[in-house]
């Protein structure tokens, strides 16, 4: 079993602009491609885990989310030769949360802060969640990390500053607060194994 770094998408890798209806409107946050490349160079498994409720809300089909991820991977590669080892996302949403499309409207263990995406990745790729890190800009990212036994890192990009200021979602207790993904990767690489840390 190996450790992994799990990454949220919007506000961590690409700029937070709400629901992205046009593929060309997905753009990387400066410095993230180089940060992902550093993880690649250290042979750290790098995995996207993202709530994407657009299909459940009827905004666009799941194929549009796939097209956004194709662009994301292409930009990472073009900018720094960086790559994600796996991509997981949750297109589902319960009716009370706003799900309307019958194909994607349901309760699910995959939607953050539930741990379904992390468990699926761990099962498929033989990952050690207790030695892994989750980087996100929302309280639900940190909560999911802790629910799965991972180390939770909150970045100030995206909604991170608003979470810290108590103006978005709820207060949470990240293991580390980083200005952006580059600083998060600095900290992760300094940790080595997190055995005995917590």
């Amino acid at each position: 079993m190996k450790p992994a770094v799990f990454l949220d998408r919007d506000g961590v890798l690409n700029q937070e602009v709400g629901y992205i209806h046009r593929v060309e409107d997905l753009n990387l946050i400066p410095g993230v491609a180089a940060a992902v490349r550093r993880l690649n160079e250290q042979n750290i498994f790098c995995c996207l885990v993202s709530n994407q409720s657009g299909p459940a809300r009827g905004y666009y089909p799941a194929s549009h989310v796939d097209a956004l991820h194709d662009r994301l991977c292409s930009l990472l590669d073009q900018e720094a030769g960086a790559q994600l080892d796996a991509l997981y996302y949750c297109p589902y949403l319960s009716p009370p949360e706003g799900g309307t499309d019958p194909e994607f409207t349901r309760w699910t263990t995959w939607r953050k802060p539930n741990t379904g995406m992390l468990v699926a990745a761990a099962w498929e790729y033989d990952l050690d969640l207790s030695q892994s890190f989750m980087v996100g800009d929302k309280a639900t990212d940190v909560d999911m990390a802790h629910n799965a036994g991972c180390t939770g890192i909150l970045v100030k990009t995206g909604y991170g500053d608003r979470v810290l200021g108590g103006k978005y979602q709820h207060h949470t207790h990240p293991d580390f607060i980083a200005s952006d993904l580059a600083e998060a990767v600095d900290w992760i690489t300094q940790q080595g194994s997190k055995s005995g840390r917590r």
Side-chain angles (χ1 to χ4, degrees), residues 119-193:
V119 171
W123 180 265
E124 186 169 358
Y125 293 99
D126 197 26
L127 306 176
D128 185 350
L129 295 180
S130 72
Q131 298 293 321
S132 297
F133 301 82
M134 171 69 208
V135 184
D137 67 322
K138 299 180 181 70
T140 46
D141 292 315
V142 176
D143 294 345
M144 176 180 65
H146 292 164
N147 289 341
C150 298
T151 295
I153 301 172
L154 185 74
V155 289
K156 294 182 181 179
T157 48
Y159 286 105
D161 272 334
R162 292 172 61 187
V163 170
L164 291 170
K167 297 177 180 178
Y168 184 79
Q169 290 189 339
H170 54 271
H171 283 292
T172 187
H173 300 285
D175 298 286
F176 183 70
I177 298 169
S179 57
D180 56 17
L181 181 58
E183 186 180 353
V185 170
D186 284 343
W187 187 77
I188 289 168
T189 56
Q190 289 166 9
Q191 304 309 301
S193 169

Side-chain angles (χ1 to χ4, degrees), residues 4-73:
V5 173
F6 297 101
L7 303 170
D8 180 42
R9 195 190 83 183
D10 303 305
V12 175
L13 291 171
N14 59 269
Q15 295 172 1
E16 173 59 66
V17 293
Y19 292 92
I20 305 176
H21 294 271
R22 300 191 311 164
V23 172
E24 59 268 29
D25 289 339
L26 185 147
N27 294 292
L28 298 182
I29 294 171
V32 301
V36 173
R37 175 60 185 267
R38 286 168 53 206
L39 294 172
N40 297 156
E41 289 172 345
Q42 296 181 54
N43 295 315
I44 298 174
F45 191 88
C46 200
C47 181
L48 176 83
V49 285
S50 179
N51 281 350
Q52 294 295 326
S53 65
R57 297 180 188 275
Y59 293 165
Y60 37 70
S63 59
H64 179 70
V65 181
D66 294 332
L68 290 171
H69 290 163
D70 286 344
R71 175 171 170 82
L72 175 70
C73 291

